[in-house]
Amino acid sequence: MKILSILASFVGAILLTSCNDNNDDMDMALNVDYPAAYIVNGEDATVSVVKLSTNAVTATIPLMGTGSGMIMWPHHISSHQDHLAIGVPGMDFSAGHTGSTSGMTGKMLIINAMTGETIKSMNLPAMNHNTIYSPDGTEIWVPQMNMDGKVLVYNATTYALMNTITAGMMPAELTFSSDGTKAYVANGDDDSISVINLASKTVVATITVGDNPVGAWTGSNGKMYVDNEDGQTISVIDVTTDMVDETIALGFMPGMASYNGPKNELWVSDPMNGKVHYWSWDTGMNMWMHGNSFNTGAGAHAIAFTADGNTAYVTNQTANTVSAINTTNHSVTKTINVGRKPNGIVIKM
């Protein structure tokens, strides 16, 4: 009976598991060969797969017990082709990025997006807010959340460490410009952004922004949108000049900023009030103008748009849901139940 019990536990770890009543298209084996959103559930250490055509959860990928070792509080997620890269800081950031992280280690996790199989699980010297493929997919970049901040660059095939780049104090998110030439690292304790040339792996600029920047989020319009958590502002950086063009006062602590290129709108999540605010570009005023806000769910956090810009998905960390949103009329079309403390999201077509 003990052997049968162990076997059942092992099989259960590699097959799909049901999240909720939204699993209308649930199969018994994971084969994600359709456009989907992948949502990281921090407290559960799982990834929910949402089929875009139905907005239903079709799979839940367990991150523990599948060759990945101990996974505590996975956070943000990125993709390249059929691979998903997940940062595992081992700490809950749902209430903001405060508290000491000194001495804490992180993990880099790579999984197959179609099968859910763990490809690589690697321990890191320090906590990592995210893990992200380079624009050409040949490298994996990982920020290290230490006072003497570093960025580690790994070969995406062999996982060998290629470069160590010095950043600012306590770097959180690392992102890339839309033209794929620069990396932007948000240094929370420096109130700055380190700009790294991808080719030379050198810091080419340090930009002063607001209080406690968490990420410089990529805009397809040649801008980077920095959410300054304690400053309650958005710093808009021009990628060409690496200078701050505009500072947008929010009046709330931002969860994340996201630019919808086809609609030319800037969205910012408001986790404490369970909302998303949006701004439209005013050509005459040459600045972003606040439009309105709408409710999503408690702990509104990450925002991802489909390629056509018509649909958005917002993770609601303390509501344990994802909101599917019609971006034309800014209305929630479906509330999708996922795992506990959903945060990072990526869409794969």
Side-chain angles (χ1 to χ4, degrees), residues 149-153 161-166 201:
K150 300 286 192 300
V151 173
L152 307 180
V153 182
L161 180 62
M162 300 167 58
N163 302 92
T164 300
I165 306 165
T166 300
K201 306 294 189 296

Short mmCIF file of all heavy atoms in Angstrom, two decimals, residues 149-153 161-166 201:
data_model
loop_
_atom_site.label_atom_id
_atom_site.label_comp_id
_atom_site.label_asym_id
_atom_site.label_seq_id
_atom_site.Cartn_x
_atom_site.Cartn_y
_atom_site.Cartn_z
N GLY A 149 24.27 45.21 -5.86
CA GLY A 149 23.47 44.53 -6.87
C GLY A 149 24.26 44.04 -8.07
O GLY A 149 25.19 44.71 -8.53
N LYS A 150 23.88 42.89 -8.55
CA LYS A 150 24.52 42.29 -9.71
C LYS A 150 23.45 41.82 -10.69
O LYS A 150 22.30 41.59 -10.32
CB LYS A 150 25.39 41.10 -9.31
CG LYS A 150 26.53 41.40 -8.34
CD LYS A 150 27.66 42.13 -9.02
CE LYS A 150 28.91 42.17 -8.15
NZ LYS A 150 28.68 42.85 -6.84
N VAL A 151 23.87 41.64 -11.94
CA VAL A 151 23.07 40.97 -12.95
C VAL A 151 23.89 39.80 -13.47
O VAL A 151 25.05 39.98 -13.88
CB VAL A 151 22.69 41.91 -14.11
CG1 VAL A 151 22.00 41.13 -15.22
CG2 VAL A 151 21.79 43.04 -13.62
N LEU A 152 23.32 38.61 -13.43
CA LEU A 152 23.99 37.41 -13.92
C LEU A 152 23.44 37.07 -15.30
O LEU A 152 22.22 37.08 -15.51
CB LEU A 152 23.77 36.23 -12.97
CG LEU A 152 24.12 36.47 -11.50
CD1 LEU A 152 23.85 35.21 -10.69
CD2 LEU A 152 25.56 36.93 -11.34
N VAL A 153 24.34 36.78 -16.23
CA VAL A 153 23.95 36.44 -17.61
C VAL A 153 24.39 35.01 -17.88
O VAL A 153 25.59 34.69 -17.82
CB VAL A 153 24.57 37.40 -18.64
CG1 VAL A 153 24.09 37.04 -20.04
CG2 VAL A 153 24.21 38.84 -18.31
N LEU A 161 27.38 30.31 -16.58
CA LEU A 161 27.46 31.74 -16.30
C LEU A 161 28.45 32.39 -17.25
O LEU A 161 29.61 31.99 -17.32
CB LEU A 161 27.89 31.97 -14.85
CG LEU A 161 28.02 33.42 -14.40
CD1 LEU A 161 26.68 34.14 -14.48
CD2 LEU A 161 28.58 33.49 -12.97
N MET A 162 27.98 33.41 -17.98
CA MET A 162 28.82 34.08 -18.98
C MET A 162 29.33 35.43 -18.49
O MET A 162 30.47 35.79 -18.76
CB MET A 162 28.01 34.27 -20.28
CG MET A 162 27.51 32.99 -20.91
SD MET A 162 26.27 33.31 -22.20
CE MET A 162 27.19 34.36 -23.30
N ASN A 163 28.49 36.19 -17.80
CA ASN A 163 28.85 37.53 -17.39
C ASN A 163 28.26 37.86 -16.02
O ASN A 163 27.16 37.39 -15.69
CB ASN A 163 28.36 38.58 -18.39
CG ASN A 163 28.89 38.38 -19.79
OD1 ASN A 163 28.25 37.71 -20.59
ND2 ASN A 163 30.04 38.96 -20.09
N THR A 164 28.96 38.68 -15.26
CA THR A 164 28.44 39.28 -14.04
C THR A 164 28.59 40.78 -14.17
O THR A 164 29.70 41.29 -14.35
CB THR A 164 29.20 38.78 -12.80
OG1 THR A 164 29.05 37.35 -12.71
CG2 THR A 164 28.64 39.41 -11.54
N ILE A 165 27.47 41.50 -14.10
CA ILE A 165 27.44 42.94 -14.34
C ILE A 165 27.01 43.65 -13.06
O ILE A 165 26.02 43.26 -12.43
CB ILE A 165 26.46 43.28 -15.48
CG1 ILE A 165 26.78 42.46 -16.74
CG2 ILE A 165 26.49 44.78 -15.79
CD1 ILE A 165 25.67 42.47 -17.78
N THR A 166 27.74 44.66 -12.67
CA THR A 166 27.41 45.43 -11.47
C THR A 166 26.27 46.40 -11.76
O THR A 166 26.32 47.17 -12.73
CB THR A 166 28.64 46.21 -10.97
OG1 THR A 166 29.69 45.28 -10.66
CG2 THR A 166 28.30 47.02 -9.74
N LYS A 201 27.69 44.27 -22.61
CA LYS A 201 27.44 43.87 -21.22
C LYS A 201 28.01 44.89 -20.23
O LYS A 201 28.52 44.54 -19.17
CB LYS A 201 28.02 42.48 -20.93
CG LYS A 201 27.58 41.38 -21.87
CD LYS A 201 26.12 41.07 -21.73
CE LYS A 201 25.70 39.82 -22.50
NZ LYS A 201 25.85 39.91 -23.96
#
